[in-house]
Amino acid sequence: MRDAGYHFTTVTPNTHARVNVRPENAEAQCLADVFGWSRPFRPSLLPSPMLDIMEQGGVLVRDSRYCRSLVRVSTLDGELFFHSAFPTTDADSVFFGPDTYRFANAIRRALRERDRPVCRVVDIGCGAGPGGIVAAKVLPDAEVFMVDINEAALRLARVNVQLAGVTKAEARRSDLLTSLEGSFDLIVANPPYLVDPAQRAYRHGGGPLGADLSLAILDTALERLSLGGTLVLYTGAAVVNGEDPFRAAAADRLSRSGARWAYREMDPDVFGEELEAEAYRHADRIAAVVLTVDQDR
């Protein structure tokens, strides 16, 4: 795929569905159609060795006429990232999308602004591993852990670590940081933040507005950040009648901790279609936000 110059930027599920429903997109015509847009393809479209590798890896589905890939491949920072095919309807689907690109930008910005060394890093709820891998590429000497409760995510994260050629990154099963010891100089997280009736792991954040997991990560980080450590939490916040309940809950915790922090909206309006759901019937919008915490004492 690299030799063929493969490139694909993953879009939102709604955009993906709209593009795929066009009549001319009913069948894949190129690599990006197969591994980016998750379109059915004739076996003759791909080289036989590639089909064989897909079959051996259990990511190829065949029917009488067409094949489908069970994985998508997105590009970020010149690297290939494997994640779940569209649509991500399974309970253990591994998501990658516009949030991932914003998350990567937030990590890079935070690292540019740091003036202290980083020796230990953890990406909580790593999914396909982009957060940990972005950090590992910027910090090649740091020990990087990528943790998740989803075994499918950990499998793909390990694949993506090898593809990126980072040597000090490890994917490990952990519910938050329960399976890891010690403190961390950098904690990054891009948790699910929506209310999902199906409670899919990559999407459901818990609580009335989807913020429970994000707050649990904040609580964990305040306990496990080293002196001078930084948390970069990229998440979503439902704004209700002009107020941001997630920000208010985070501010309350942070005021008691004494840590320095900053909060900004990276995108004021994401997943607008969710406002039609009962959970968001009083919400004005859902914003993509970044909470940065510096533990100075």
Side-chain angles (χ1 to χ4, degrees):
M1 293 178 75
R2 282 192 174 119
D3 290 346
Y6 181 87
H7 178 86
F8 187 77
T9 300
T10 302
V11 295
T12 66
N14 268 7
T15 295
H16 197 131
R18 287 188 175 101
V19 172
N20 269 3
V21 78
R22 296 169 183 165
E24 66 270 24
N25 293 333
E27 179 181 326
Q29 304 296 326
C30 64
L31 283 180
D33 290 351
V34 173
F35 294 108
W37 293 106
S38 295
R39 293 170 188 160
F41 63 95
R42 298 174 191 266
S44 58
L45 181 65
L46 300 185
S48 294
M50 186 176 286
L51 284 174
D52 292 342
I53 290 171
M54 292 174 69
E55 203 144 41
Q56 292 166 20
V59 297
L60 181 69
V61 175
R62 296 179 183 263
D63 61 25
S64 58
R65 187 178 180 189
Y66 291 105
C67 297
R68 283 184 180 271
S69 171
L70 293 180
V71 292
R72 274 183 289 178
V73 186
S74 295
T75 47
L76 169 64
D77 287 351
E79 303 294 346
L80 302 178
F81 286 88
F82 282 75
H83 54 104
S84 296
F86 179 85
T88 48
T89 53
D90 293 339
D92 63 349
S93 290
V94 183
F95 190 72
F96 189 111
D99 274 340
T100 310
Y101 297 100
R102 289 188 283 256
F103 179 42
N105 286 335
I107 294 171
R108 286 192 291 264
R109 173 173 170 169
L111 288 175
R112 285 196 301 269
E113 294 174 352
R114 273 189 64 90
D115 57 1
R116 302 184 186 187
V118 176
C119 298
R120 296 189 87 217
V121 180
V122 64
D123 179 4
I124 299 178
C126 66
I133 291 169
V134 166
K137 289 181 66 179
V138 177
L139 305 163
D141 296 325
E143 183 181 29
V144 179
F145 295 94
M146 301 182 297
V147 300
D148 208 299
I149 59 171
N150 182 353
E151 292 294 342
L154 294 171
R155 179 190 178 202
L156 289 172
R158 291 177 185 122
V159 168
N160 292 331
V161 162
Q162 292 190 41
L163 287 173
V166 293
T167 59
K168 293 190 176 182
E170 174 188 347
R172 182 184 296 188
R173 192 185 194 285
S174 182
D175 186 354
L176 298 178
L177 297 181
T178 55
S179 298
L180 295 176
E181 297 181 351
S183 60
F184 296 88
D185 304 307
L186 177 66
I187 298 175
V188 301
N190 172 20
Y193 55 77
L194 296 173
V195 177
D196 181 27
Q199 297 194 12
R200 286 166 289 183
Y202 78 89
R203 186 174 173 85
H204 187 60
L209 292 171
D212 277 10
L213 181 54
S214 296
L215 291 171
I217 290 171
L218 173 58
D219 291 338
T220 298
L222 290 173
E223 295 175 355
R224 302 289 293 273
L225 278 173
S226 61
L227 183 63
T230 298
L231 165 69
V232 180
L233 175 59
Y234 171 91
T235 187
V239 177
V240 182
N241 295 324
E243 302 294 331
D244 182 344
F246 169 69
R247 188 187 191 284
D252 179 62
R253 287 163 163 80
L254 289 160
S255 66
R256 290 183 266 118
S257 75
R260 289 188 299 113
W261 60 283
Y263 187 90
R264 63 188 173 93
E265 289 191 3
M266 187 173 276
D267 192 321
D269 183 16
V270 297
F271 291 108
E273 67 276 10
E274 295 295 324
L275 300 182
E276 298 175 8
E278 179 62 23
Y280 297 104
R281 64 190 302 263
H282 298 298
D284 308 330
R285 56 191 175 91
I286 301 170
V289 301
V290 179
L291 172 63
T292 307
V293 179
D294 293 302
Q295 188 66 282
D296 289 334
R297 60 181 180 180

